[in-house]
Amino acid sequence: MRAAAPASRRLRLRREAWGFAIGSVCFLVGAVPFYAEWAGAVVVGVTFFIGSLFFTAAGFIQLSLSGRRPPRRGTNQADRYDWWAAAIQFAGTLFFNVSTWQALAAAIRDPNEIGAGWRPDAFGSAAFLISSALAVVATKDRGELWDRDARSWHGTLLNMLGSIAFGVSAVGAFVSPRTDDFVSLFWANLGTLIGALCFLVAALLSRRAIDVDEPAAAN
């Protein structure tokens, strides 16, 4: 098993965890119907957009730590899958930047407009799902990762569940050309809420694991 990561890496791991946690809270709050009724479409759009920015910041930190550059000859399987998981997840966060911005812009134009930003939202959900599957594979050889705290079984499984929920949300948010309405607003909101909750718990557990291991690493 590799040695514990230096303090600088652990600091960035904590920042990564907090970035995903804050982004998850924004998506969690934005998906609560009572909040939408109270705040209105524009504020909800701002909430989701800010959450997507925290996801992107955290995703960039994760990618920068995962080998810093694309895998090359000699990179072990765990690190290879870990890098691709981080790269695809980062791409997914960029799609969410686009989708949440388009939804916010649509809300500013017309608070009653629906379906804005669905295509990049679907791409982002698909990217998260693929990334989660690659992370599960990377976790099989956790001891070979660039840092043993980079992935954990509880984190990868929670992220997989969250990605599936985001996928369900994307399906529910599709606007049917027959009815000119959401396929299922209920599942669109519930999928986002469950997915955000899974991502939040995974991020908080990740930060706790880093903090718990830190005194041992200092000895």
Side-chain angles (χ1 to χ4, degrees):
M1 181 176 293
R2 298 184 182 183
S8 60
R9 276 190 176 179
R10 288 184 173 275
L11 177 61
R12 282 192 287 169
L13 278 169
R14 288 197 296 272
R15 288 174 177 170
E16 173 194 325
W18 277 120
F20 281 124
I22 295 172
S24 298
V25 168
C26 290
F27 272 71
L28 181 65
V29 171
V32 175
F34 298 112
Y35 176 75
E37 294 173 4
W38 171 76
V42 174
V43 174
V44 170
V46 171
T47 303
F48 279 125
F49 181 62
I50 291 175
S52 76
L53 295 179
F54 275 100
F55 273 153
T56 299
F60 178 77
I61 294 173
Q62 185 178 61
L63 179 58
S64 69
L65 288 170
S66 301
R68 300 179 180 276
R69 54 182 173 176
R72 48 210 176 275
R73 184 176 298 177
T75 302
N76 66 57
Q77 178 173 294
D79 280 342
R80 187 179 301 274
Y81 279 105
D82 178 66
W83 188 90
W84 279 110
I88 294 173
Q89 178 174 260
F90 178 64
T93 68
L94 296 179
F95 281 122
F96 283 127
N97 291 160
V98 175
S99 66
T100 54
W101 172 254
Q102 288 181 346
L104 172 59
I108 294 173
R109 289 194 307 269
D110 179 5
N112 296 316
E113 184 177 344
I114 64 173
W118 180 83
R119 190 177 298 276
D121 184 56
F123 289 159
S125 297
F128 268 40
L129 190 58
I130 295 170
S131 170
S132 296
L134 292 172
V136 169
V137 177
T139 311
K140 289 174 58 181
D141 299 313
R142 182 184 174 192
E144 298 299 320
L145 286 172
W146 57 272
D147 185 275
R148 60 190 175 87
D149 293 317
R151 302 285 182 187
S152 64
W153 278 111
H154 62 249
T156 51
L157 290 178
L158 281 168
N159 283 331
M160 173 64 80
L161 291 175
S163 298
I164 293 172
F166 265 35
V168 171
S169 172
V171 173
F174 179 72
V175 177
S176 171
R178 292 184 178 181
T179 63
D180 199 29
D181 199 359
F182 295 113
V183 169
S184 175
L185 183 59
F186 173 80
W187 283 109
N189 288 331
L190 185 61
T192 301
L193 194 151
I194 293 175
L197 183 60
C198 289
F199 294 143
L200 174 61
V201 174
L204 293 178
L205 287 176
S206 171
R207 191 189 191 286
R208 179 176 178 273
I210 296 164
D211 288 343
V212 168
D213 289 345
E214 196 167 29
N219 294 332

